[in-house]
Every structure is written in structure tokens, then in C-alpha cells.
Amino acid sequence: MEVIVARDYDEMSKIAADMVKKEIIKKPDIVLGLATGSTPKGMYRELIRYYDEGKLDFSSVITFNLDEYIGLDKEHPSSYHYFMNEVFFNHINIKLENTYVPDGKAKNLDEYCKRYDELIEKKGGIDLQILGVGENGHIGFNEPDERLNMGTSVVELTRSTIEVNSRFFKSIEEVPKTAITMGINSIMRAKKIILMANGKRKAPVIKEMINGTKLTTQLPVSLLMLHHDFTVIVDEAAYNG
Ligand code: F6R
């Protein structure tokens, strides 16, 4: 694991975007694993800027998103699919047919999840996975638990995640209670992983991940310590608290 401590959110975003840029230039048909939420927004903004300046071409890039709420379609303003289009895909020259976000309205969910992992493999596997982390240590929507799913699965969201994410909905009652998420193995199979975290609310989980001496499914992010090419980019607030 490599830890990079940035001054602030903007520097964290720029460092992450520069790493993504380097990988896209190295492999124009790269398969990216992407996250939503507040953390990666600045990185997407920087990548859009590189595109606008003619420094990046997304025409051959393929993306797979980590997760989606069950019951929300891609037109729902709180869905992750909508978020990705608004925040990133609509501003670059990526082909929308090369962008995969789990379908929150899929009929046969178990079958659908299995096919999502198969599709990732069919496209050659994820070259670079971008992650944020929940205040409770979740990655994707893999919530702290006694056992975690290996592959893409349907999961129940914890009360704390529902509360934290209610800021993206009109009311807490509107937040779906279940989601589809890539599993731990779907994430760990990525050839390279970058995790970003900013703000002092993330400091306890970052501290426990970096300094902890035990891996535990009760802190899903700790499992990333087993990955052979894992970079953590944090701002000073997330590093020092
Ligand atoms: C989102 C995702 C989540 C977030 C995490 C942090 O696709 O997978 O694990 O990365 O909840 O969210 P923010 O960045 O909003 O603090």
C-alpha cells in the first residue's frame, strides 16, 4: 500500500485525476471501475478539464460502476446512474454504451448480478478501480458484517449509510433500503486500486485501515490491505483527523 497525503480536497482530486490520466494514456481502451458520492466529484471535474484541453480521449474507455440503489431507474435524480451521467459521462467523449452502472430496476436480481461480474470479466477485467469509503468503512455498498459477498450482490443498507446518504434525497424515507453492489472479490480482482478519502469524518476509518493490525469484514476497507497495487490518497483532515 502507498499512502499519499494531499493538502486538501482539490489537491487530492488532482493527484487522483493525474493517476487516472496516466493509465488512460498508457491503455486507451482501459476498463475503469468507478464510484459515486462526494469524494470523487473533484477528480471527475479534473478529468473533464483534461478532456476539454484535448489531453484525454475517452472514446475507447469502458467503465463499470460499483453500485446502484434498487428501485431507482437511471432517470431518477438520486440514482447513481443519473449522477454518473450528470457529473462525468455527459461532459466527455465516452460512448454511453461503454458505461455500465448496475440496473436498479433489473428483474431477476440474482441472475443480473451474476451477469454483471461475467460482463466485467468478458471486457478483460477492471484495470483501475476508484473507491471512496463510508464513515463505517464500507466500500461500494459492502457494509460491515460477519460475512461479505464475493461477487456482485443485492445488499441491505445499514441505518448509518441510509442516514449519511439521505442528503442526496428529498427525505430519509425516500432512501432505498437495498442496493446492488460489486462484491469484495469483484473489487479485489482489479489490477490497480485507488481509494480516496477527505474530511475529518473519514479519519477514524482511515486510521484504523492504515495503522490497524487486523483485517476484518467489520471494516470492509481493511481487506484492501491484501491488494498488491493499492494506493490511498487522503487529504490532511482525513489523515490527521
Ligand atoms: C459510491 C460508493 C460508496 C462511497 C462512500 C463514500 O459509489 O461506492 O462506497 O464511496 O459511501 O461516499 P462519499 O464520497 O459521498 O463520502
Side-chain angles (χ1 to χ4, degrees):
M1 176 191 53
E2 187 192 358
V3 183
I4 301 171
V5 184
R7 234 180 1 259
D8 53 20
Y9 180 78
D10 286 344
E11 193 180 80
M12 176 196 79
S13 305
K14 170 107 180 29
I15 293 170
D18 284 350
M19 288 175 76
V20 175
K21 174 169 170 260
K22 196 170 134 209
E23 297 300 317
I24 296 176
I25 290 170
K26 208 158 70 183
K27 187 177 180 203
D29 59 349
I30 192 169
V31 180
L32 295 176
L34 298 179
T36 57
S38 309
T39 311
K41 270 186 161 180
M43 180 196 76
Y44 292 136
R45 186 192 62 215
E46 288 298 308
L47 289 171
I48 292 166
R49 191 170 58 80
Y50 284 137
Y51 168 70
D52 287 339
E53 291 169 357
K55 293 180 182 153
L56 270 183
D57 173 17
F58 291 87
S59 60
S60 305
V61 172
I62 298 172
T63 64
F64 283 92
N65 262 78
L66 279 165
D67 40 17
E68 179 62 285
Y69 294 107
I70 289 176
L72 304 194
D73 61 34
K74 60 180 177 195
E75 272 79 42
H76 192 292
S78 302
S79 75
Y80 284 171
H81 206 144
Y82 187 89
F83 174 102
M84 288 309 298
N85 287 339
E86 287 291 302
V87 171
F88 193 38
F89 299 148
N90 288 346
H91 307 281
I92 54 174
N93 67 334
I94 198 161
K95 296 190 181 90
L96 282 184
E97 65 267 29
N98 286 343
T99 66
Y100 299 93
V101 181
D103 179 0
K105 289 286 223 182
K107 289 275 169 325
N108 185 340
L109 282 166
D110 289 340
E111 182 57 28
Y112 177 81
C113 289
K114 204 167 140 243
R115 275 194 280 120
Y116 198 72
D117 281 327
E118 285 167 4
L119 191 59
I120 294 174
E121 289 310 306
K122 205 171 136 207
K123 298 289 178 186
I126 291 173
D127 293 299
L128 170 59
Q129 176 69 54
I130 302 296
L131 293 175
V133 59
E135 288 170 31
N136 64 359
H138 72 210
I139 47 173
F141 271 138
N142 296 283
E143 301 279 31
D145 208 339
E146 243 171 66
R147 290 155 170 253
L148 297 177
N149 294 308
M150 297 277 274
T152 298
S153 318
V154 172
V155 290
E156 285 189 18
L157 302 181
T158 59
R159 186 70 202 165
S160 75
T161 295
I162 291 172
E163 274 163 17
V164 171
N165 287 8
S166 63
R167 69 189 192 280
F168 297 114
F169 291 80
K170 285 201 202 98
S171 70
I172 192 160
E173 287 72 37
E174 264 194 31
V175 186
K177 310 283 180 288
T178 51
I180 299 173
T181 182
M182 273 166 57
I184 298 297
N185 195 39
S186 327
I187 295 170
M188 290 290 280
R189 284 176 73 87
K191 295 172 190 93
K192 187 179 182 64
I193 298 180
I194 295 175
L195 178 129
M196 283 183 281
N198 67 285
K200 63 173 193 276
R201 293 168 73 95
K202 300 286 171 72
V205 291
I206 293 300
K207 194 169 170 202
E208 209 178 325
M209 178 186 72
I210 294 176
N211 301 327
T213 53
K214 296 227 186 325
L215 300 177
T216 168
T217 56
Q218 298 294 349
L219 188 76
V221 71
S222 71
L223 304 175
L224 296 172
M225 299 298 275
L226 295 173
H227 197 274
H228 64 282
D229 189 348
F230 175 40
T231 304
V232 181
I233 312 172
V234 286
D235 71 352
E236 281 173 7
Y239 191 68
N240 297 319

